[in-house]
Amino acid sequence: MNTSLPGQTSTNPQPVNSAPNTAAPVAPVLPPVGLEFLTRSTLPFQTVDYALKGYHLDANVGSDKVVAAAVELNREGFALDTITGVDWLAQNQMEVVYDYFHPLTGLRVVIRSKVARENPEFPTISTVYPGAAWHEREAHDFFGIRFSGHPNLIPFLLPEDATYHPLRKDFAP
Amino acid sequence: MIIKEDSVLTQREAPSETFILNLGPQHPATHGVLRVKMTMDGEFVTRAEPVCGYIHRMQEKMAENRTYAQYLPNTSRIDYLSAMTYTHAFVGVVERAAKLQVPRRAEYIRVITSELNRISSHLVWWGAFLLDLGGFTPLLYAFDDREKILDLLEGVTGARLTYAYYRIGGLYNDVDDAFLNGTRAFVAHMRPRLKMYRELVTENIILRKRLVRIGMVTDQMCRRYGASGPVIRGSGVPYDVRKAEPYSAYPDFDFDIPCFTEGDSMARYLVRLEEIAQSLRIIEQALDRLPSGPVMAEKVPRVLKLPVGDYCYAVEAARGRFMVRLVSDNKEIPYRLKLRTPCLSNLSLFEEASQGMLLPDALAFMGSLDLVIPDIDR
Amino acid sequence: MLSGDLVYVSAFCLAGLVFALGPIVLVHLISARKTRNYANKTQQYVECGMDPIGDAWIRYSAVYYLYALVFVAFAVDVLYLIPVAVVYNRIKELGNRDFFELLIFVGILSLVIVYAWKKGVFEWKRKTNNS
Amino acid sequence: MEAQDEQLLKDCAPFVRFSKLDELLNLGRANSLWPLTFGLACCAIEMMAAGASRFDLARFGAEVFRPSPRQADVMIVAGTINKKMASAVKTLYDQMPEPKWVIAMGNCAISGGPFVFPGQYAVVEGVDKLFPVDVFIPGCPPRPEALIEGILKLEEKLTGKRRWPVVKPE
């Protein structure tokens, strides 16, 4: 039942309902464990000072390469943390930040991408990470970012008939 | 009586139609205002689609017109059962961005109060979960113990549930001896109680019949949905933010991550009960090695302006990984504050995992996910 | 003698009638006529706050009816046990014969459980072909 | 005849008392208020704590929490009312049989509480915007003792007098 994840081999199967005292490998701050996937990766990663920023790797990709990044990180065994929309009104840009964490090595990776602010459009990654569906619906609720290919892009937290996007900087109730 | 052409008279095996059951916002088992639209075929769930947003309180919108100090009380109202850990994340991200050095004693007290809060949260879950399964008396036992924790925390923070005890740079006030002795007495009192809970409830055959092999969640499903906390630890992956991304004073303590590989509701149940024992261990170690000294950083700027950029801070809340992503543009209010809450990801795997389940099993499965609905809606 | 018994029986029927209809009349006299409502949803039968989706008149699977039949069987069973309970152990010379008769009666009736078990009522087996 | 009647009334005064039937009913209702489990947010946990072992609501007859509005007397609105939830709250209020009362527990139920700020788009500022409220319990969340005081206030509203001592801060 316990399929081993790519990257690290996971713990051996335990008998039913006993409490094995296996602790997760403590990820030292620098250099973090599990960086070997960098050699295989095609994404423009820069290492970031974890003590200041809170994540290890950061990559800035175009909006079309977001799904490719998701596919690669899914292959490497990463889990999707969250999808954050940021409305840069001054630069007239809409940014989406994809956070990933690795359940076995504790590595933290951030993929960010920017598009024009008028009608922002991103390809959905819910085909790769089904958990992303809700995060994308929420980003659509708050910022009006359309995720093409999303199964049901209806309001998630706002009422069903909501057409306003409250977290945009120019939102007036 | 109009006989439809595919009526039972003409057909050998009449298919029963599916109907949509609204496990609506008002339901005793949802412990809040979660609505699940369940397409049912008889007693079996063919598709369960959670509908959220009934308690959406604009936490992230409020962050954009509150200074850092003003936003503190909000953090304990996102997941009010583990309010300390949520305040810890928000305060941590601000300290990380402002490069503030929190004194050692404050970090230790933060660990003690966070672990006490984790135990009180697991006790509420344990009482409410068994209430869902039909057992009425465990709730009274659990709340009786929980009141002891609330007395301790109330003595120091002044609040029972929504403490805004941590401040940017340290703590609101120092703990007194009553708190320290009371905590030691509580740890001594809680251990035999845990043994009693195991005999009274965990070894009960009815509970095992309701939970073992019910609500199977594989580690791959946990990873693809981003589930964390007891959900992923019940499926064989020992992921705990206190070990994976060590923060505050956790590296100083020696504790284990309870992890079971079955991935059923029983595994998640046992992980949480085992976690209470581990939290007691951490509290004991922290009490023994509590350093003296100040509890507040020396120079905390009155008006805090954080350097431009985005910062993250993740903590292990009672329900899983809670991460705060702060985007700052060097003003006194944050430009954008994203709250990554564990319950949203834990619930997102409910739709796929509950297909083909019996309705009572789906409710037991939802109870084992330990959801706090304002945590999902924020 | 006959009239004595008649009075006795009619008194019993009257008491039963009063016992049944009494609360209905009393409630009608005392309780309020209508309830305040702000979304005129008083008549809605679903109590979760949301309007029901779809129609309730659909074809349920047969397992529900079988479950109800098992209940009805045991309801009737209890009906016959009440008079037995009244005169149980009254007639000394019968010894414990009445106990065994009771046992046989309940035993035969519990065959319903065996039948239901075999037909898979308790496993809620789905008979639909779109399972 | 009158003198004898007065004398008779005076003799059995300690045992016989005449009052309206309503007062008798209200006395019964006041001491067995069945709350509707309507926990929305943080106040719900304090409501559960009030119903649990230490702050026992059973002492006041109010520990039977009914999930269905049909069997509830009082609706304790414990938490924030959201605009998406407002229609559901009104529906539940309609489905409660008369006589029914509403206790607004916590600042959110009284006036939207901490979630009222310029540009807020989702919170109904106070339950009394939806239907009349009988007792307001301030606090965020109010302590279980405050909820018990609120229930006693409601009992006082029903029967007109207060059976329990009023706690005076010393």
Side-chain angles (χ1 to χ4, degrees):
Chain A
M1 214 289 286
N2 194 334
T3 58
S4 75
L5 291 168
Q8 220 78 20
T9 58
S10 64
T11 55
N12 42 41
Q14 274 70 34
V16 174
N17 297 340
S18 73
N21 294 345
T22 58
V26 175
V29 180
L30 269 174
V33 174
L35 270 183
E36 64 278 1
F37 89 95
L38 267 183
T39 54
R40 302 188 292 270
S41 130
T42 58
L43 295 165
F45 279 122
Q46 304 121 12
T47 55
V48 167
D49 168 15
Y50 176 83
L52 173 65
K53 288 287 199 177
Y55 46 89
H56 297 103
L57 297 171
D58 185 350
N60 207 324
V61 289
S63 72
D64 49 355
K65 284 219 274 309
V66 154
V67 182
V71 164
E72 184 195 318
L73 290 174
N74 182 29
R75 194 166 21 85
E76 293 301 329
F78 277 88
L80 177 71
D81 207 4
T82 184
I83 296 175
T84 317
V86 186
D87 173 11
W88 298 102
L89 185 61
Q91 296 90 348
N92 196 357
Q93 295 226 302
M94 186 67 81
E95 180 189 26
V96 168
V97 183
Y98 296 82
D99 277 288
Y100 294 91
F101 69 94
H102 199 290
L104 286 167
T105 62
L107 200 61
R108 281 278 287 110
V109 169
V110 167
I111 309 277
R112 54 180 94 241
S113 165
K114 280 188 176 161
V115 270
R117 193 173 175 281
E118 275 66 39
N119 34 39
E121 171 94 24
F122 279 89
T124 177
I125 63 168
S126 54
T127 48
V128 182
Y129 282 99
W134 282 10
H135 294 291
E136 284 171 352
R137 274 172 66 188
E138 187 192 324
H140 168 69
D141 274 4
F142 288 154
F143 293 94
I145 304 168
R146 260 198 336 285
F147 289 90
S148 55
H150 192 282
N152 62 345
L153 202 60
I154 51 175
F156 177 57
L157 295 181
L158 299 180
E160 275 79 12
D161 50 5
T163 55
Y164 50 93
H165 302 297
L167 276 183
R168 289 174 84 104
K169 289 298 175 186
D170 52 6
F171 167 74
Chain B
M1 212 269 282
I2 310 138
I3 300 176
K4 289 188 278 187
E5 74 291 345
D6 65 348
S7 79
V8 71
L9 303 177
T10 60
Q11 213 171 18
R12 188 73 200 82
E13 272 304 323
S16 81
E17 291 148 24
T18 61
F19 60 95
I20 292 189
L21 171 74
N22 243 328
L23 198 74
Q26 151 70 1
H27 191 279
T30 52
H31 291 287
V33 277
L34 169 71
R35 172 180 167 212
V36 186
K37 258 201 317 216
M38 289 191 163
T39 315
M40 305 282 298
D41 170 15
E43 277 294 296
F44 289 85
V45 177
T46 50
R47 182 168 180 273
E49 187 217 341
V51 178
C52 312
Y54 288 97
I55 188 86
H56 171 54
R57 305 194 281 189
M58 314 162 285
Q59 303 274 11
E60 290 170 6
K61 174 76 177 172
M62 278 178 80
E64 284 164 17
N65 61 24
R66 288 276 192 283
T67 67
Y68 294 104
Q70 285 170 342
Y71 193 67
L72 268 174
N74 267 53
T75 53
S76 43
R77 282 159 178 80
I78 301 165
D79 176 0
Y80 35 81
L81 283 180
S82 55
M84 288 285 190
T85 45
Y86 277 59
T87 313
H88 198 159
F90 175 72
V91 160
V93 82
V94 175
E95 282 155 7
R96 176 172 274 174
K99 296 196 190 59
L100 274 171
Q101 194 52 37
V102 180
R104 226 44 215 144
R105 182 177 174 86
E107 287 294 1
Y108 270 60
I109 295 173
R110 280 184 182 175
V111 165
I112 295 173
T113 43
S114 288
E115 291 310 317
L116 277 176
N117 200 239
R118 187 190 314 279
I119 296 174
S120 82
S121 164
H122 282 332
L123 285 174
V124 172
W125 160 79
W126 187 71
F129 180 42
L130 291 161
L131 199 65
D132 291 356
L133 299 179
F136 289 100
T137 44
L139 181 89
L140 303 176
Y141 285 83
F143 270 71
D144 182 21
D145 288 340
R146 180 169 171 269
E147 292 295 340
K148 292 186 173 55
I149 301 179
L150 297 190
D151 290 346
L152 289 173
L153 293 177
E154 188 188 349
V156 171
T157 64
R160 282 168 53 88
L161 201 64
T162 54
Y163 337 92
Y165 178 44
Y166 303 160
R167 289 291 183 276
I168 295 165
L171 295 177
Y172 169 61
N173 57 5
D174 201 342
V175 286
D176 48 12
D177 291 341
F179 175 78
L180 298 177
N181 305 335
T183 312
R184 273 191 212 287
F186 171 75
V187 170
H189 155 78
M190 193 62 198
R191 288 220 166 91
R193 289 286 282 199
L194 275 181
K195 205 167 69 60
M196 184 184 78
Y197 288 171
R198 199 173 312 118
E199 283 142 17
L200 176 69
V201 174
T202 311
E203 269 127 24
N204 181 321
I205 183 67
I206 301 168
L207 185 81
R208 288 194 168 275
K209 275 273 187 300
R210 282 296 302 274
L211 293 185
V212 175
R213 302 208 62 73
I214 303 288
M216 302 297 289
V217 172
T218 65
D219 50 3
Q220 284 300 333
M221 187 191 288
C222 281
R223 185 179 64 75
R224 282 170 49 239
Y225 280 93
S228 60
V231 178
I232 199 169
R233 288 196 286 274
S235 305
V237 179
Y239 177 74
D240 186 319
V241 180
R242 294 173 294 182
K243 292 278 186 187
E245 295 172 56
Y247 60 97
S248 177
Y250 280 105
D252 301 359
F253 305 121
D254 150 41
F255 60 99
D256 305 322
I257 309 296
C259 168
F260 293 85
T261 55
E262 294 78 13
D264 56 6
S265 303
M266 196 61 192
R268 288 185 284 276
Y269 173 93
L270 289 169
V271 162
R272 289 196 186 92
L273 280 190
E274 190 59 38
E275 259 177 25
I276 295 181
Q278 294 303 326
S279 294
L280 290 175
R281 247 177 94 193
I282 295 175
I283 292 173
E284 238 169 9
Q285 292 169 38
L287 282 175
D288 299 343
R289 302 202 294 262
L290 185 62
S292 61
V295 279
M296 197 56 181
E298 295 79 22
K299 40 166 187 47
V300 179
R302 290 279 314 136
V303 178
L304 201 58
K305 285 193 163 70
L306 297 181
V308 176
D310 67 340
Y311 310 90
C312 294
Y313 197 96
V315 290
E316 181 64 28
R319 273 146 204 81
R321 173 188 167 78
F322 173 65
M323 193 266 290
V324 174
R325 163 173 282 281
L326 169 69
V327 179
S328 155
D329 61 349
N330 202 354
K331 289 206 184 60
E332 62 272 10
I333 57 169
Y335 187 76
R336 166 83 164 106
L337 189 81
K338 170 70 184 177
L339 308 167
R340 189 267 181 201
T341 52
C343 284
L344 182 102
S345 303
N346 292 351
L347 181 66
S348 58
L349 57 84
F350 183 77
E351 187 167 349
E352 183 182 334
S354 73
Q355 258 150 12
M357 260 192 189
L358 274 167
L359 183 57
D361 291 346
L363 286 178
F365 172 50
M366 195 200 302
S368 79
L369 292 176
D370 185 7
L371 301 171
V372 169
I373 313 304
D375 193 60
I376 300 167
D377 298 349
R378 289 178 304 270
Chain C
M1 255 329 275
L2 183 61
S3 65
D5 290 350
L6 209 59
V7 165
Y8 185 61
V9 166
S10 57
F12 228 93
C13 290
L14 194 65
L17 212 62
V18 163
F19 190 74
L21 296 179
I24 297 172
V25 170
L26 194 64
V27 159
H28 192 67
L29 291 178
I30 289 175
S31 77
R33 292 291 175 274
K34 63 173 185 51
T35 173
R36 291 168 282 181
N37 64 48
Y38 286 80
N40 49 53
K41 287 273 181 30
T42 309
Q43 303 309 326
Q44 189 184 80
Y45 54 87
V46 171
E47 287 146 10
C48 66
M50 284 292 132
D51 299 335
I53 303 162
D55 186 9
W57 284 89
I58 59 165
R59 207 184 284 126
Y60 285 96
S61 69
V63 181
Y64 288 104
Y65 300 124
L66 286 175
Y67 217 84
L69 286 185
V70 167
F71 165 73
V72 164
F74 276 94
V76 170
D77 177 4
V78 165
L79 199 64
Y80 289 121
L81 289 183
I82 294 170
V84 168
V86 170
V87 296
Y88 187 71
N89 219 345
R90 273 295 166 68
I91 308 153
K92 283 293 163 281
E93 61 278 358
L94 274 186
N96 45 25
R97 223 190 66 173
D98 43 18
F99 170 69
F100 290 111
E101 275 167 14
L102 202 63
L103 218 57
I104 294 164
F105 176 73
V106 173
I108 291 169
L109 262 169
S110 62
L111 291 180
V112 168
I113 297 270
V114 174
Y115 168 76
W117 209 310
K118 280 287 164 297
K119 295 294 275 186
V121 167
F122 298 121
E123 282 88 26
W124 294 98
K125 259 213 283 298
R126 297 197 309 201
K127 298 223 170 9
T128 62
N129 42 28
N130 54 13
S131 60
Chain D
M1 263 317 274
E2 277 69 27
Q4 270 172 338
D5 294 350
E6 264 83 26
Q7 183 49 30
L8 192 62
L9 274 180
K10 246 200 288 323
D11 293 348
C12 56
F15 314 109
V16 174
R17 191 173 177 292
F18 295 101
S19 77
K20 291 205 299 288
L21 176 62
D22 252 356
E23 275 169 24
L24 182 69
L25 289 178
N26 279 341
L27 190 64
R29 286 172 187 146
N31 288 310
S32 73
L33 288 167
W34 283 14
L36 170 75
T37 38
F38 194 56
L40 298 159
C42 341
C43 294
I45 304 297
E46 288 296 73
M47 193 164 71
M48 281 161 71
S53 32
R54 174 182 286 189
F55 300 100
D56 205 351
L57 267 179
R59 296 173 286 164
F60 311 98
E63 93 283 4
V64 184
F65 276 88
R66 302 303 303 172
S68 139
R70 301 293 186 202
Q71 304 151 2
D73 298 334
V74 67
M75 171 194 265
I76 302 182
V77 181
T80 321
I81 299 286
N82 193 321
K83 284 200 174 99
K84 194 174 181 179
M85 185 68 186
S87 63
V89 175
K90 279 204 284 243
T91 311
L92 289 171
Y93 181 78
D94 293 354
Q95 290 172 338
M96 285 168 70
E98 277 305 329
K100 57 188 174 189
W101 300 276
V102 174
I103 292 182
M105 177 180 180
N107 298 350
C108 295
I110 296 173
S111 67
F115 303 106
V116 176
F117 59 95
Q120 69 100 356
Y121 55 87
V123 167
V124 174
E125 292 175 15
V127 172
D128 45 13
K129 286 205 166 33
L130 304 176
F131 37 76
V133 171
D134 297 287
V135 175
F136 294 96
I137 307 176
C140 184
R143 295 178 57 87
E145 293 97 333
L147 175 60
I148 291 173
E149 177 61 25
I151 288 181
L152 297 189
K153 267 284 183 288
L154 186 60
E155 282 178 14
E156 195 178 336
K157 177 171 183 176
L158 256 66
T159 56
K161 59 186 181 330
R162 184 180 172 96
R163 236 156 32 93
W164 302 90
V166 180
V167 176
K168 287 270 180 313
E170 67 276 355

